[in-house]
Amino acid sequence: MHLLLTPAAARWLETELPGLEELTGHPVRHRYDAPWRSEPLPLADVVLVAPLSAADACAWAAGITPDPALAVPAEASYRSRPVLAMPYWHSETDRQRSLRDALEHLRWRDGVKLLRGRKGYRPHPPGQEDPAAYPWESALAAAERELRFY
């Protein structure tokens, strides 16, 4: 298992990176490195993008991949690998037309399975974020199911 973080997430989890590397057995990647300095990632059997922000969903749908955390799922979907994404945003953001368009693009053109509603995450009311309640178990279980069928 490989763990890819956005640069922001890597800053937030800076003190936890060594433990995450020990857990996965691989370096945690969060930025592009010179090709001659980094070991290429193996092609994933299943990719899980979680938590997916609204900004990252829109960038990904537009083909903008500023870091490996978006580039790997974009590439995996074009290589017919299962890609799942579970969002994390509030209900006002969920109503944005540009976000809805991006999610439709990811779902129908790129084949991304969105874990929303009963299957995953329900947007929280503005100002009522609760990261501890994020359904990680559901996201990981969905990835395991995909792995069994792949």
Side-chain angles (χ1 to χ4, degrees), residues 3-36:
L3 178 61
L4 305 172
L5 300 174
T6 62
R11 283 191 309 276
W12 300 333
L13 298 172
E14 186 174 359
T15 60
E16 298 175 49
L17 293 180
L20 293 169
E21 289 181 354
E22 185 177 326
L23 179 68
T24 64
H26 300 281
V28 175
R29 297 190 189 191
H30 55 88
R31 65 177 179 252
Y32 290 118
D33 201 357
W36 60 87

Side-chain angles (χ1 to χ4, degrees), residues 17-127:
L17 293 180
L20 293 169
E21 289 181 354
E22 185 177 326
L23 179 68
T24 64
H26 300 281
V28 175
R29 297 190 189 191
H30 55 88
R31 65 177 179 252
Y32 290 118
D33 201 357
W36 60 87
R37 276 198 240 153
S38 91
E39 171 184 324
L41 286 169
L43 185 58
D45 293 328
V46 174
V47 174
L48 171 63
V49 181
L52 175 66
S53 72
D56 283 342
C58 291
W60 179 11
I64 300 167
T65 56
D67 54 63
L70 287 181
V72 167
E75 182 179 339
S77 68
Y78 291 111
R79 290 185 167 199
S80 300
R81 303 295 185 172
V83 178
L84 298 90
M86 184 180 288
Y88 183 76
W89 52 68
H90 63 70
S91 54
E92 295 297 318
T93 298
D94 198 52
R95 289 191 198 57
Q96 292 178 4
R97 185 68 200 157
S98 59
L99 176 59
R100 295 230 169 223
D101 291 346
L103 295 177
E104 289 301 307
H105 177 99
L106 291 172
R107 184 181 302 127
W108 298 111
R109 291 190 183 164
D110 295 347
V112 175
K113 293 183 181 181
L114 295 172
L115 306 173
R116 296 172 43 109
R118 288 185 348 218
K119 297 182 197 176
Y121 184 74
R122 293 179 188 202
H124 55 270

